[in-house]
Amino acid sequence: MKFGSSNIVLLLFFIFLSVSFALPSKKFQHKPCKHLVLYFHDIIYNGKNAANATSAIVAAPEGANRTILAGQFHFGNVAVFDDPITLDNNLHSPPVGRAQGLYIYDTKNTFTAWLGFSFVLNSTDYQGTINFIGADPLMNKTRDISIVGGTGDFFMHRGIATIMTDAFEGEVYFRLNVDIKFYECW
Amino acid sequence: MKFGSSNIVLLLFFIFLSVSFALPSKKFQHKPCKHLVLYFHDIIYNGKNAANATSAIVAAPEGANRTILAGQFHFGNVAVFDDPITLDNNLHSPPVGRAQGLYIYDTKNTFTAWLGFSFVLNSTDYQGTINFIGADPLMNKTRDISIVGGTGDFFMHRGIATIMTDAFEGEVYFRLNVDIKFYECW
Amino acid sequence: MKFGSSNIVLLLFFIFLSVSFALPSKKFQHKPCKHLVLYFHDIIYNGKNAANATSAIVAAPEGANRTILAGQFHFGNVAVFDDPITLDNNLHSPPVGRAQGLYIYDTKNTFTAWLGFSFVLNSTDYQGTINFIGADPLMNKTRDISIVGGTGDFFMHRGIATIMTDAFEGEVYFRLNVDIKFYECW
């Protein structure tokens, strides 16, 4: 068989094709490499529920106390939390870990928060931590925050978490649905 | 045409060339893939400016109150903010989003802060959030902090933000110029 | 020389081989690209040690003050710190930088903290900052947190820091050994 010009063109085309697949295709690859859906449950201390509370107001603007969320959409309240994480929306399901960190109410004319926290997972499925920060405009049905790192089974992972308020009872209990999509998995 | 040894060498050379371009070249690629310059404006609550204030002191060391920044270079003050972001240095320009989060004065013998905040952008040009953390040695002309993630138009972005104090009036108003350079854009 | 089918197969094999090396091989590359071991020293203000203290309690749950760590495993205490960083475990060694940020005690039935802080390094060896966040279950011998970004010599770096409590004296002084492993170095 002779190897004619057309064959060379074909070969070059094939090479280019291969190489283009080899190029980092991050821009177009927005499919998660790992996906988890979890719930966490926050019961804020109000002066009467010490036994059940999983979070507490620890800072407030001048004039506000730390057992009642501040006026003006709770602007300036900082809460520290250690909330159970569950696989479904039942507060009493066996926890697979704890959500630990802080949230900060940060607007005077609507409900928004800023979040800095970790998921500390300790189950048969997952051992490790996931670290989150981001803005949480509470009145939106869904809010995206950043997954900025992880350890253990989530070593060096990055991604996006979509948060939804799954339940809200008075100013004492809320439950968040957290849709965790990792796009960088290592 | 015959396909001689020299042609094969040429082909191999070409393949290697292609492949070397395909290798991730992060180490040498320090040109931003996206670049924005924005300003944000902070008016701290001092007990008299409730209508205009965009931030409030919410924590302080023992002995300090929350309407006056603490002594010792404000060491221990935590402020929560919801500041307008503008395209130029005019406080009254139409905002393109909000800077939301916290800053913490963290040194006793000079002015330094620690920052954890998000830009929530909502304009015709950009929809999405950018998440920042880092040390802010205020007395330096420029300070670099980390962009640790983003959502929406800034999906999974990382980069460096260079902060400059653009104006400072008493202890009530300051304006920051934020030079946002993304080096990982997705 | 004729260029037969077998040669083409060989060439294609070679192309695939080259391309497969060009694919990002992150999943298997868990060797640090940079490694540092540092110590930092925290002396918390207790009302009597103003001259030496490097950190202060700035927030606490209702009923607690800010010169004594709160009951219930200090749940709800927020401390701001500016701690010296040294190359060895001696508090009095010349500092190579400062650890600045906050820690938050966040559990009621054991000692855990949430950390958000920066290393600001200023030595002949390193100029730049490293930014950390993560959960710190204090009773574990080692704890992993995320390095979410860096500036200067640590431009865009990411990694894992393994923290160990190297010393603990009463409730006033602790020293942490920080084993910094960068896996993304730029």
Side-chain angles (χ1 to χ4, degrees):
Chain A
M1 178 191 121
K2 291 229 183 149
F3 198 78
S5 302
S6 63
N7 295 60
I8 292 177
V9 167
L10 202 71
L11 243 181
L12 294 186
F13 173 75
F14 184 79
I15 291 162
F16 272 117
L17 203 72
S18 308
V19 166
S20 70
F21 277 118
L23 280 167
S25 56
K26 276 186 169 178
K27 262 175 204 160
F28 312 103
Q29 184 191 6
H30 287 176
K31 215 181 145 236
C33 44
K34 203 177 282 179
H35 188 203
L36 281 89
V37 179
L38 295 167
Y39 293 80
F40 73 94
H41 308 261
D42 190 86
I43 303 169
I44 198 157
Y45 178 63
N46 66 358
K48 297 168 208 156
N49 58 353
N52 297 326
T54 64
S55 68
I57 305 168
V58 300
E62 191 70 36
N65 72 27
R66 286 164 287 173
T67 47
I68 300 168
L69 288 162
Q72 288 196 301
F73 298 88
H74 315 332
F75 178 70
N77 275 142
V78 177
V80 169
F81 61 94
D82 169 40
D83 291 349
I85 300 170
T86 57
L87 296 173
D88 60 21
N89 66 4
N90 187 340
L91 169 61
H92 303 293
S93 294
V96 294
R98 309 295 294 188
Q100 299 179 327
L102 52 79
Y103 55 85
I104 296 165
Y105 287 101
D106 60 7
T107 310
K108 288 194 290 185
N109 55 9
T110 184
F111 288 109
T112 71
W114 191 83
L115 309 174
F117 66 99
S118 304
F119 271 17
V120 181
L121 295 176
N122 187 4
S123 72
T124 45
D125 287 333
Y126 293 108
Q127 299 274 338
T129 69
I130 309 171
N131 296 316
F132 306 83
I133 76 166
D136 181 9
L138 290 161
M139 306 310 282
N140 295 2
K141 190 173 188 314
T142 66
R143 296 87 73 180
D144 283 353
I145 61 173
S146 289
I147 299 168
V148 296
T151 67
D153 289 342
F154 309 101
F155 174 83
M156 289 290 288
H157 285 36
R158 290 178 67 233
I160 303 284
T162 301
I163 288 179
M164 280 177 283
T165 304
D166 196 56
F168 190 81
E169 291 170 17
E171 295 202 327
V172 172
Y173 173 74
F174 66 81
R175 179 171 66 235
L176 294 183
N177 172 305
V178 187
D179 190 350
I180 295 171
K181 289 150 288 185
F182 293 107
Y183 295 95
E184 190 171 339
C185 285
W186 287 65
Chain B
M1 179 190 121
K2 290 233 179 142
F3 198 79
S5 303
S6 63
N7 295 59
I8 291 176
V9 167
L10 203 71
L11 243 180
L12 293 185
F13 174 75
F14 184 78
I15 292 163
F16 273 116
L17 202 73
S18 308
V19 166
S20 70
F21 276 119
L23 280 168
S25 56
K26 274 186 170 178
K27 263 175 203 158
F28 313 101
Q29 184 192 6
H30 287 176
K31 216 182 144 233
C33 44
K34 204 176 282 179
H35 188 203
L36 281 88
V37 179
L38 295 167
Y39 293 80
F40 74 94
H41 307 262
D42 190 86
I43 303 168
I44 199 156
Y45 178 63
N46 66 357
K48 298 169 205 156
N49 58 352
N52 297 326
T54 64
S55 69
I57 304 168
V58 302
E62 192 69 37
N65 73 26
R66 286 164 287 172
T67 47
I68 300 168
L69 288 162
Q72 287 197 303
F73 299 88
H74 315 333
F75 178 69
N77 275 142
V78 177
V80 169
F81 62 93
D82 169 41
D83 291 347
I85 301 169
T86 57
L87 296 174
D88 61 22
N89 66 3
N90 187 340
L91 169 62
H92 303 292
S93 294
V96 295
R98 309 294 294 189
Q100 299 179 327
L102 53 80
Y103 56 84
I104 296 164
Y105 288 99
D106 59 9
T107 310
K108 288 195 290 186
N109 55 8
T110 183
F111 288 109
T112 71
W114 192 83
L115 308 175
F117 67 98
S118 304
F119 271 17
V120 182
L121 295 176
N122 187 5
S123 72
T124 45
D125 287 333
Y126 293 108
Q127 300 274 338
T129 69
I130 308 170
N131 296 317
F132 306 82
I133 76 166
D136 181 10
L138 289 160
M139 306 311 281
N140 295 2
K141 191 174 187 313
T142 66
R143 295 89 72 181
D144 282 352
I145 61 173
S146 289
I147 300 168
V148 297
T151 68
D153 289 342
F154 308 100
F155 174 83
M156 291 288 288
H157 285 35
R158 290 179 67 233
I160 302 284
T162 301
I163 290 180
M164 278 177 283
T165 305
D166 196 56
F168 190 81
E169 292 171 15
E171 296 202 325
V172 172
Y173 174 75
F174 66 79
R175 178 171 68 235
L176 295 184
N177 173 304
V178 187
D179 191 349
I180 295 171
K181 289 149 288 186
F182 294 108
Y183 295 95
E184 188 172 340
C185 284
W186 289 65
Chain C
M1 179 191 120
K2 289 228 182 151
F3 199 80
S5 302
S6 64
N7 295 60
I8 291 177
V9 168
L10 203 70
L11 242 181
L12 294 186
F13 173 75
F14 185 78
I15 292 164
F16 273 116
L17 202 71
S18 308
V19 166
S20 71
F21 276 118
L23 281 168
S25 57
K26 274 185 171 179
K27 262 175 204 159
F28 312 102
Q29 184 191 7
H30 286 176
K31 214 180 146 236
C33 45
K34 202 177 283 179
H35 188 203
L36 280 88
V37 178
L38 295 167
Y39 293 80
F40 73 95
H41 307 262
D42 190 86
I43 302 168
I44 199 157
Y45 178 63
N46 66 357
K48 298 168 208 156
N49 57 353
N52 296 326
T54 64
S55 69
I57 305 169
V58 302
E62 192 70 36
N65 74 26
R66 285 164 288 173
T67 48
I68 300 168
L69 287 162
Q72 289 196 301
F73 298 88
H74 316 333
F75 178 69
N77 274 142
V78 177
V80 170
F81 61 94
D82 169 41
D83 290 349
I85 301 170
T86 57
L87 296 174
D88 61 21
N89 67 3
N90 187 339
L91 168 62
H92 303 293
S93 293
V96 294
R98 308 295 293 188
Q100 300 179 327
L102 52 80
Y103 56 84
I104 297 163
Y105 287 100
D106 60 8
T107 310
K108 287 194 291 185
N109 55 8
T110 184
F111 288 109
T112 71
W114 191 82
L115 309 175
F117 67 98
S118 303
F119 270 17
V120 181
L121 294 176
N122 188 3
S123 72
T124 45
D125 287 333
Y126 293 109
Q127 298 275 337
T129 69
I130 309 170
N131 296 316
F132 306 82
I133 76 167
D136 181 9
L138 289 160
M139 305 311 282
N140 295 2
K141 191 173 187 316
T142 65
R143 296 87 74 179
D144 282 353
I145 61 172
S146 290
I147 300 169
V148 297
T151 67
D153 288 342
F154 309 101
F155 175 84
M156 290 290 286
H157 286 35
R158 291 178 66 233
I160 303 284
T162 300
I163 289 179
M164 280 177 284
T165 305
D166 196 54
F168 190 81
E169 292 171 15
E171 294 201 327
V172 172
Y173 174 75
F174 67 79
R175 178 172 68 236
L176 296 183
N177 172 304
V178 188
D179 190 350
I180 296 171
K181 288 150 286 185
F182 294 108
Y183 295 95
E184 189 172 338
C185 284
W186 289 66

